[in-house]
Amino acid sequence: MDPESLRERAASALLAARDRTRLLTTCVEEPDLVAQHSPLMSPLVWDLAHIGNQEEQWLLRTVGGRDALRPDIDSVYDAFEHPRAERPSLPLLPPAEAHGYVSDVRDRVLDILEHTPLRGGPLLDSGFAFGMIAQHEQQHDETMLITHQLRRGPAVLTEAEPLIAPEDDILPSEVLVPGGPFTMGSSAEPWALDNERPAHRRLVRSFLIDTTPVSNGAYQRFIEDGGYDDPRWWAADGWAYVREHGLRAPLFWRHEGSQWLRRRFGVTEAVPPDEPVLHVSWYEADAYARWAGRRLPTEAEWEKAARHDPADGRAMRYPWGDEDPTPAHANLGQRHLRPAPIGSYPDGQSPLGVRQLIGDVWEWTASDFLPYPGFVAFPYREYSEVFFGDRYKVLRGGSFAVDPVACRGTFRNWDLPVRRQIFSGFRTARDADPAAGV
């Protein structure tokens, strides 16, 4: 892009993120902003000021070379210095002061964006630092939306528009992905984060993958078949966790009479059987897959299904091609407060016909979160490198709570295998017959 187009793109991404942050922090009263709704989450007011502090440190001070506005709060809003459980006890900015702080930072940053050449180093090239901060804010917006889901009380959020019912397509239950090499990761996506880099060749054998994510109805059959009572389906750590915490169903589900109900952003409703299952841990996803005689796809398999075009061997940015997501492609950006029904978004399917790979639910994969060959931490180790290893599992694809700026075919998310409060689901895979390919 030319510099002015880059500036426009960066400003648009920053302003869109701020609109969402404002919505998530003004729809409740001050007691809900300062409360900790779960020990797994920060108070909403901590996320708000942390967003501003990261923007100040990277864009105001580092890129703009300006004097620090609030160096006294750097430690308070350092995510690595203070785990979430202890953040309510910190000397946090009160809500009004936090709003004023983030607004002041943003006004100065927009001035810096207007006058900074978007070239001359890794942070400046293609406006990377501005894109990084827009993604960071949107990631915290998703985190705050999780906090809203955990919060007890009446509904305060509304959906921007109704979901479009899926077409009456008769879809196959699974799709064959031919074996062979493909390009994984990216070296060219201008705002790709360090763990997505560099592009490299991977070889996977032929496999079959679910056409759509696993539905609530399918998962309910696992429950009804005694899935939570049978250790055969569970990894040892997962079985111990299920027993210790008495898990019987996805988070926010409860059985009442003859039906399953769920709580969704302050509303109690019947669990819709045709939506992707949501709020399941990696252990639950893995157990379901074993029960079904299948497995979770590896991260490489997921990305090949999502990006590889078998017609020319090219790696695309998204399943549908290289164009940015639109509402016709995927359920993103908090336009809805729920996943779309199974089979939605035919315009967003991959060349092989796999649907809903982007948006709706984060999809657990079988893979540990590890660096790609040639990985270089940038611009700081704490974004990715400190999480590498076998403790964290990779999720792919984004959810309805993810903004398009923080979602692409190469984007990698990760979390502990016990986590259920996140907007996580999954799809399953299986090995192909050896006669089908590599």
Side-chain angles (χ1 to χ4, degrees), residues 122-135:
L123 273 177
L124 292 177
D125 290 346
S126 299
F128 174 82
F130 297 93
M132 177 184 74
I133 290 300
Q135 291 178 83

Side-chain angles (χ1 to χ4, degrees), residues 368-426:
D368 297 332
F369 185 49
L370 299 171
Y372 290 160
F375 168 84
V376 176
F378 177 78
Y380 56 102
R381 289 184 62 247
E382 290 79 9
Y383 181 73
S384 303
E385 187 174 354
V386 297
F387 297 100
F388 290 148
D390 60 5
R391 291 187 63 221
Y392 294 89
K393 294 296 185 181
V394 173
L395 302 104
R396 287 302 206 103
S399 72
F400 64 88
V402 175
D403 187 81
V405 76
C407 186
R408 46 197 164 265
T410 58
F411 194 93
R412 306 172 76 195
N413 191 8
W414 65 94
D415 215 324
L416 297 169
V418 298
R419 290 292 185 250
R420 309 202 312 155
Q421 83 277 14
I422 59 177
F423 299 117
S424 53
F426 64 100

